[in-house]
């Protein structure tokens, strides 16, 4: 019946019967030329010859002789003479059949090798070396064509290397899959052949993680392209290039070139720094060390295929050649058994396809691997052979092996192992016997970093490889398909090539050659396989993909099959992209408006002059000069200020003690944190800790939770200890469900009600202790204490078993056939059962069951020795979701109400029931179930029907359990705050529907009483359309959708689905693949044009994070891949609220104010230039030249303007208290066309007043007017900065005062531009004060009036 772990177990390999007409068939003459040389030889003579060979074999065994069949012989070139050589090891005369009748042809061509390979393993173990018959039969035809009259033999292998040749449909599936893809050419990646433990002839990508955006050769082209894709950078590039033309040159060339070069240097430097930081983090991940198994053949001194030595065609040379080849044959064939196994350490980036990895518990898998062997640590520790023991048994392949070979191989191994201990760090291996006792190589892996699923996955080694010794792993050949991103699908073949090394290499070369031949028919197993090759299929159950984690307390040996960018993880991950903030695009649009304004003014000024040309200047040249003069309207310093501001914001984030460990990996988009409207979050490790805990249990009449669990423990102590003997040395009596429960040793002290409750508690605890798939394992901690840990495919199961242990009942043993429970209080065995059947949990059935037979008698009893064996109790236990269990258990009036209560608390409910089976009833069930399982049609439905008819009827309802998936710290208030901030939250997870629903409820993602519309398992488009129609009328509902249905919507109704889903307050998508997560993020961005933030902690979240406008990675327990690929890295989910609500707000508000003020600073000086040009009769002459122009944009105004990055309108407490303030940021009010044009009007007013009054009060042109105008301009900017500050910072005061002092201190050095004698007069002073007052007071008064009449939101909350 079913095993505790359900997976396909390949059956024993069957020998394929040869077709009589097959090209591979060997006739009797070929098999035994000695016995068949005479056609008249009778069967009796043949039998006599075989008996003589058996006697000779026994003598060889006694004398330690190496069998002749271990020889690998070569041939001689076209000759009819025969070199015969006796076996010198025995030193005695043997039968003629023991002679070497001939040597293989030295021209051991490809065709001959192929025939030899095909015929291997088909000989009798003790047949003499073969003599080539003269041509004549069909078998001889090929050799006659390639070399007539050739004498040779067919080499024979050790019998334990002979195997099975069979047509393997798995390979045909791989090849047909490649053909379906329509590939005209076959490349190494289409169908790859991997030699295990050996160097590969094909080149594969390195196993390196790379999150870098650039390489050394594309850094400059890409960054420059990104920079000049913005209009204002391109504009200034054109302006700078225009200064090369003498007619357009105004002032110093450096005035325009240096600022542009500085801007580009800052931006490129920041990009380079960010990318180098990513590379540094990648190097840390790639430097992780792993143990690699190396298999060396110490006797193989020459490369296979090159050991043949050519001699002359003399009889003596041939004899010498035979001796040489004899020695080489011993070296080559013995190397199979005498290989040294050693451990080396490799960094993750150095791992290659074909490497054999040794990994243990909690170790991350660095590449896609196929599991070859798996040993529990207990087995591995007891299975270490003694020093010099070597391979324990060469018969582990299951083939018949003669005694002489066994003894010879073991003797050789003993000798070579001793030698190896002094030369290598030789690796101990487990004996086959222990391996078989341990099972079929089982291990568990965690895949939450790959697909988001929290359940542990069972993985097994192929039976063909699990039973091999480590020294034989390099005889394996694995065939796989091309790299694929489907994480739940894999098809492959593993073959055991029991042939000499040269023949194996030749076989692999031919296979690869055919794989790459164009227009070649699909490679068939029969093409090269023969009876010396075993093969077995590989499936997803035999694999572990990169970034999964070994969960079992076991050691596995696995071969690398895909590396680097070809791993499932990498193929499911989108490439890194350069992200640009929305603020950048908004400023880019504003600069286009300014450019149009500049061009318009230039044309107007020239047009007012009538577009007249002068001998010195054409009218179109005048327009170009005006464009250069007004280029300050689009200030090049804008990018410098914004980029420096982003660096400051990143510094604030990383130094914030409230979010310790936060890192800014992409420093170009901190303002995007303040514009997020959609948050897409992972579940496992992001919202939850993936740590389950049983919080509540209900037994029908009473519910237990929190402190009440102590009462449950009291019932268990009474229920499983009262049968203990008075003498502690005597065995206690085992408990069965029918055992009477008493409240104490004195049966009369308990009331009837208490006994009934105690009995029900004992029954449900016993049911929970037996109905599961948990296996206990023992570990030794650092202090030497023995600890018991549990392994299971679901954390829910482990949580329940831990709770059972806490209340007094411990699972101490579990195998395929039995379970043993122990009392925690007494340490005695109290329950022992035999496992008869297990029905595992599936997403369709939503329940699991087990049939057990209780052992009766004392704790030392077994099922066979138990008392009254015939009367042993057989019970069927089942637990599952309330939706399916409510119709299976007997009628009751409390189940629905209690499960609903637990669900509202966010608990994952399981209903537990049981049923006693009579022996006859169980036999009837077994018979019907077996018949159903043998059916070829409707098997699953038939088996399900038998279970339902015989078992799932009127189960006794024992109770309900509530398991909580622990949430991350402060998840509930964080989600509530983000919702109040106007952010719509979507949860995308790879977990099950039920799990996603429970977490959504417990995390308050779904409000109390909110309707949850579930869409699952949709396969038809008409049903999908109906679901969309229903949701149109339920815009306040939460949508719960699975990955299958989501794929249907995204394929056929993507626009309709997204337009409907974005209006919902929350969406939960489960069973999502990494690609689906990224696709959802892209669709939301495309449809809404809003900012999308994605947060996750696993490798399966990388694609989603990179597809988002803002990617946030959490440093998870299972790795840092999400953190490395993200724009921002945090350690806890609740840190996200501060990152968005506080730092996002400040970054956006500060950048918006800074950008507009820099535009104002450039626009006001352009207005002054316009006024001066009008007064100068429209001549394109500069008002401020050279240093004045550069100094104005740098030391005279830059520090005060840049100090605005320290401003804040509210403090952190108010930002968290009123998250509604964040909602205003998403509307983009801080930087909009409205605010932009307000600043334009202010700039026009102030520029007109400053330049107009300067020309009126002083003079139209001249150094006196320039001194007054420029001084008022600087003072105006400093005071305007002070007007814009909301919260003063000491650095702001210092920058304002310091800049003013710097300016007035530099005036004496500006004699080239100012009239210094006029500057020190009183007339200069009052004109500066008057003009400044007229330019500043009206704008400030208007601001105060607007703030009073319509105060901003932050002023309102400050007033409260």
């Amino acid at each position: 019946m079913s095993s505790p772990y359900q997976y396909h177990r390949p059956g024993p390999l069957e020998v394929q019967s040869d077709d009589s007409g097959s090209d591979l068939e060997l006739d009797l003459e070929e098999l035994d030329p000695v016995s068949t040389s005479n056609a008249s030889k009778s069967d009796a003579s043949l039998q006599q010859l075989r008996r003589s060979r058996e006697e000779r074999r026994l003598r060889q065994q006694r004398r330690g002789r190496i069998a002749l069949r271990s020889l690998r012989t070569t041939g001689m070139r076209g000759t009819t003479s025969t070199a015969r050589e006796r076996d010198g090891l025995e030193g005695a005369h043997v039968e003629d059949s023991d002679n070497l009748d001939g040597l293989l042809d030295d021209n051991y061509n490809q065709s001959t090798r192929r025939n030899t390979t095909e015929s291997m393993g088909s000989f009798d173990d003790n047949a003499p070396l073969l003599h080539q018959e003269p041509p004549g039969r069909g078998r001889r035809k090929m050799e006659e064509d390639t070399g007539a009259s050739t004498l040779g033999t067919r080499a024979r292998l050790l019998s334990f290397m002979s195997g099975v040749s069979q047509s393997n449909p798995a390979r045909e599936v791989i090849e047909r899959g490649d053909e379906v893809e329509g590939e005209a050419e076959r490349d190494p990646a289409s169908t790859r052949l991997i030699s295990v433990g050996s160097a590969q002839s094909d080149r594969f990508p390195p196993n390196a993680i790379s999150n870098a955006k650039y390489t050394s050769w594309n850094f400059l082209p890409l960054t420059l392209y990104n920079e000049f894709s913005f209009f204002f950078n391109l504009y200034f590039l054109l302006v700078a290039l225009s200064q090369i033309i003498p007619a357009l040159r105004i002032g110093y060339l450096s005035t325009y070139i240096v600022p542009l070069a500085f801007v580009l240097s800052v931006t490129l430097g920041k990009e380079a720094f960010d990318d180098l930081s990513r590379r540094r983090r990648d190097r840390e991940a790639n430097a992780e060390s792993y143990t690699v198994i190396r298999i060396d053949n110490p006797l193989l001194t020459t490369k296979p295929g090159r050991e043949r030595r050519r001699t002359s065609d003399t009889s003596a040379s041939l004899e010498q050649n035979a001796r040489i080849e004899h020695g080489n044959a011993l070296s080559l064939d013995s190397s199979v058994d005498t290989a040294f196994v050693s451990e080396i350490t490799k960094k993750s980036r150095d791992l290659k396809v074909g490497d054999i990895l040794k990994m243990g518990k909690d170790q991350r898998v660095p590449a896609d691997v196929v599991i070859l062997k798996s040993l529990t640590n207990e087995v591995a520790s007891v299975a270490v052979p003694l020093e010099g023991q070597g391979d324990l048994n060469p018969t582990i392949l299951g083939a018949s092996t003669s005694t002489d070979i066994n003894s010879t191989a073991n003797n050789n191994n003993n000798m070579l192992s001793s030698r190896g201990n002094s030369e290598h760090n030789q690796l101990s291996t487990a004996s086959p016997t222990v391996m078989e006792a341990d099972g079929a190589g089982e291990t568990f892996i965690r895949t939450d970093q790959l697909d988001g699923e929290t359940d542990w996955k069972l993985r097994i080694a192929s039976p063909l490889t699990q039973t091999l010794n480590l020294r034989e792993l390099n005889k394996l050949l694995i065939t796989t398909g091309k790299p694929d991103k489907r994480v739940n699908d894999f098809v492959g073949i593993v073959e055991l090539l029991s042939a000499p090394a040269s023949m194996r290499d030749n076989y692999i070369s031919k296979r690869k050659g055919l794989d790459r031949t164009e227009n070649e028919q699909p490679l068939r197993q029969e093409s090269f396989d023969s009876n010396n090759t075993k093969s077995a299929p590989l499936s997803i159950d035999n694999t572990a993909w990169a970034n999964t984690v070994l969960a079992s307390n076991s050691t596995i040996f696995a071969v690398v099959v895909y590396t680097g960018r070809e791993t499932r993880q990498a193929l499911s991950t989108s490439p890194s992209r350069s992200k640009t903030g929305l603020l950048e695009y908004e400023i880019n649009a504003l600069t286009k408006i300014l450019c149009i304004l500049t061009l318009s003014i230039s044309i107007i000024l020239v047009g007012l002059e009538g577009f007249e040309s002068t001998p010195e200047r054409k009218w179109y040249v005048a327009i170009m000069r005006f464009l250069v003069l007004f280029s300050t309207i689009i200030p090049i310093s804008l990018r410098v200020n914004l980029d420096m501001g982003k660096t400051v914001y990143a510094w604030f984030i990383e130094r914030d003690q409230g979010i310790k460990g936060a890192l800014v990996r992409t420093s170009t988009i901190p303002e995007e944190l303040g514009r997020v409207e959609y948050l897409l979050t992972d579940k496992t490790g992001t919202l939850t800790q993936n740590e389950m805990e049983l919080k509540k249990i209900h037994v029908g009449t009473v519910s237990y939770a929190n402190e009440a669990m102590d009462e449950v423990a009291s019932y268990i102590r009474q229920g499983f200890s009262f049968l203990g003997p008075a003498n502690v040395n005597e065995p206690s009596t085992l408990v069965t469900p029918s055992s009477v429960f008493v409240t104490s040793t004195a049966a009369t002290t308990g009331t009837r009600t208490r006994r009934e409750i105690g009995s029900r508690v004992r029954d449900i605890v016993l049911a929970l202790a037996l109905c599961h798939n948990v296996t206990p394992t023992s570990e030794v901690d650092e202090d030497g204490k023995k600890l018991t840990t549990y392994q299971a495919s679901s954390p829910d199961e482990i949580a329940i078993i831990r709770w059972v242990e806490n209340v007094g009942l411990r699972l101490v043993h579990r195998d395929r056939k039995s379970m043993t429970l122990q009392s925690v209080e007494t340490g005695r065995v109290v329950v022992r059962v035999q496992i008869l059947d297990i029905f595992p949990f599936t997403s369709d059935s939503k329940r699991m069951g087990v049939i057990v037979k209780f052992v009766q008698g004392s704790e030392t009893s077994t099922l066979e020795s138990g008392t009254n064996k015939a009367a042993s109790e057989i019970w069927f236990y089942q637990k599952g979701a309330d939706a399916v269990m409510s119709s299976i258990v007997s009628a009751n009036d409390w189940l629905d109400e209690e499960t609903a209560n637990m669900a509202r608390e966010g608990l994952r409910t399981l209903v537990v029931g049981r049923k006693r089976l009579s022996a006859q009833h169980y036999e009837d069930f077994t018979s019907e179930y077996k018949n159903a399982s043998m059916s070829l049609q409707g098997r699953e439905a038939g088996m399900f029907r038998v279970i339902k008819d015989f078992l799932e009827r009127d189960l006794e309802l024992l109770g309900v359990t509530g398991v909580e998936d622990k949430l991350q710290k402060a998840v509930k208030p964080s989600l509530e705050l983000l919702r109040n901030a106007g952010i719509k939250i979507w949860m995308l997870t790879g977990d099950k529907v039920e799990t996603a629903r429970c977490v959504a409820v417990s995390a308050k993602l779904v409000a109390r009483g909110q309707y949850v519309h579930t869409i699952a398992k949709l396969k038809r488009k008409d049903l999908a359309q109906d679901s969309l129609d229903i949701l149109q009328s339920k815009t306040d509902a939460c949508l719960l959708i699975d990955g299958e249905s989501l794929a249907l919507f995204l394929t056929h109704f993507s626009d309709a689905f997204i337009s409907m889903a974005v209006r919902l307050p929350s969406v939960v998508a489960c069973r999502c693949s990494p690609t689906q997560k990224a696709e959802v993020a892209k669709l939301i961005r495309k449809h809404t044009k809003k900012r999308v933030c994605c947060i996750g902690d696993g490798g399966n979240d990388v694609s989603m994070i990179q597809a988002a406008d803002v990617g946030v990675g959490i440093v998870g327990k299972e790795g840092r891949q999400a953190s490395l690929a993200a724009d921002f890295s945090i350690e806890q989910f609740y840190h996200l609220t501060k990152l968005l609500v506080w730092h996002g707000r400040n970054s956006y508000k500060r950048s918006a104010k800074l950008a507009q003020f820099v535009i104002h600073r450039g626009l006001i000086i352009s207005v002054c230039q316009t006024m001066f040009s009008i007064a100068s009769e429209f001549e394109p002459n500069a008002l401020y030249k050279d240093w004045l122009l550069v100094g104005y944009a740098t030391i005279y105004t830059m520090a005060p303007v840049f100090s605005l990055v320290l401003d804040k309108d509210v403090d952190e407490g108010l930002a968290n208290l009123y998250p509604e303030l964040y909602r205003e940021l998403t509307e983009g009010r801080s930087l909009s066309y409205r605010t932009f044009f307000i600043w334009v009007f202010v700039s026009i007013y102030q520029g007109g007043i400053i330049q107009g009054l300067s020309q009126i009060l002083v003079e139209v042109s001249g150094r006196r007017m320039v001194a007054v105008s420029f001084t008022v301009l600087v003072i105006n900017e400093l005071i305007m900065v002070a007007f814009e500050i909301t919260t003063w910072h000491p650095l702001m005061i210092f920058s304002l005062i310091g800049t003013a002092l710097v300016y007035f201190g530099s005036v004496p050095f500006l004699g080239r531009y100012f009239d210094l004698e006029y500057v020190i007069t009183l007339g200069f002073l009052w004109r500066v004060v008057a003009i400044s007052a007229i330019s500043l007071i009206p704008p400030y008064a208007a601001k105060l009036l607007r703030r009073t009449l319509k105060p901003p939101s932050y002023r309102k909350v400050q007033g409260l």
Side-chain angles (χ1 to χ4, degrees), residues 558-630:
V559 60
V560 176
V561 292
Y562 301 113
T563 54
R565 64 174 181 272
E566 294 183 346
T567 61
R568 294 304 203 262
Q569 176 75 56
L571 292 174
S572 299
T573 302
S574 303
S576 299
R577 64 183 182 93
S578 296
K579 296 183 179 180
T580 303
L582 181 60
L583 186 72
E584 299 278 1
Y585 292 111
E586 292 172 343
I587 293 175
N588 196 51
L590 297 180
T591 55
K592 293 178 182 179
I593 298 176
L594 293 175
C595 181
I596 295 173
L597 179 63
T598 302
L599 181 60
S600 301
I601 295 175
S602 301
I603 295 175
I604 291 173
L605 290 178
V606 176
L608 291 176
E609 200 176 6
F611 294 102
E612 294 181 358
S613 299
T614 63
E616 297 84 8
R617 188 180 298 115
K618 301 294 184 182
W619 67 268
Y620 51 83
V621 175
I623 292 178
M624 295 299 297
R625 285 179 62 87
F626 273 122
L627 283 174
V628 175
L629 286 174
F630 296 145

Side-chain angles (χ1 to χ4, degrees), residues 231-285:
F231 176 78
F232 53 86
N233 280 346
L234 182 61
Y235 175 81
F236 272 104
L237 176 63
L238 296 176
V239 169
L241 294 177
S242 70
Q243 297 304 291
I244 301 176
I245 304 173
L248 300 180
R249 184 174 299 172
I250 300 175
Y252 297 132
L253 180 63
S254 59
T255 304
Y256 301 91
I257 298 295
V258 172
L260 179 63
F262 179 72
V263 169
L264 294 179
S265 299
V266 170
T267 305
L268 267 63
K270 187 162 57 63
E271 282 290 314
F273 178 79
D274 290 345
D275 212 50
L276 289 174
S277 299
R278 295 188 192 95
R279 289 181 178 274
R280 183 178 63 253
R281 293 187 291 268
D282 288 341
R283 282 197 298 270
E284 294 175 0

Side-chain angles (χ1 to χ4, degrees), residues 483-503:
D484 194 347
K485 66 181 179 181
R486 293 175 295 180
V487 297
N488 295 319
D489 187 26
F490 177 76
V491 177
I493 304 168
V494 59
E495 297 171 271
L496 178 62
L497 305 181
S498 301
S502 61
M503 293 186 180

Side-chain angles (χ1 to χ4, degrees), residues 40-57:
S40 62
K41 181 168 289 190
S42 64
D43 293 342
S45 300
L46 183 61
Q47 295 295 333
Q48 182 178 3
L49 180 60
R50 289 177 177 171
R51 284 195 299 271
S52 66
R53 284 201 292 254
E54 179 65 15
E55 294 173 0
R56 184 176 73 255
R57 183 185 64 77

Side-chain angles (χ1 to χ4, degrees), residues 1013 1015 1018-1033 1041 1045 1048-1057 1059-1060:
H1013 183 73
I1015 301 177
L1018 280 185
K1019 296 181 175 64
R1020 291 164 43 193
K1021 291 195 292 184
D1022 56 338
L1023 296 178
Q1025 185 61 56
D1026 294 341
S1027 299
L1028 285 176
D1029 296 338
I1030 294 174
L1031 274 176
Q1032 295 291 341
S1033 59
I1041 185 171
S1045 305
L1048 182 65
F1049 280 115
L1050 296 181
T1051 303
H1052 301 287
F1053 308 101
S1054 59
D1055 292 338
F1057 172 75
S1059 62
M1060 177 273 301

Side-chain angles (χ1 to χ4, degrees), residues 169-184 186 189-191 480-484 486 489 491 522:
R171 177 180 290 124
E172 298 173 15
V173 170
I174 296 174
E175 289 145 1
R176 286 198 301 270
D178 293 337
E179 291 176 354
V180 171
E181 298 277 333
E183 294 180 346
R186 291 181 178 271
S190 60
T191 301
T480 68
K482 61 183 179 181
D484 194 347
R486 293 175 295 180
D489 187 26
V491 177

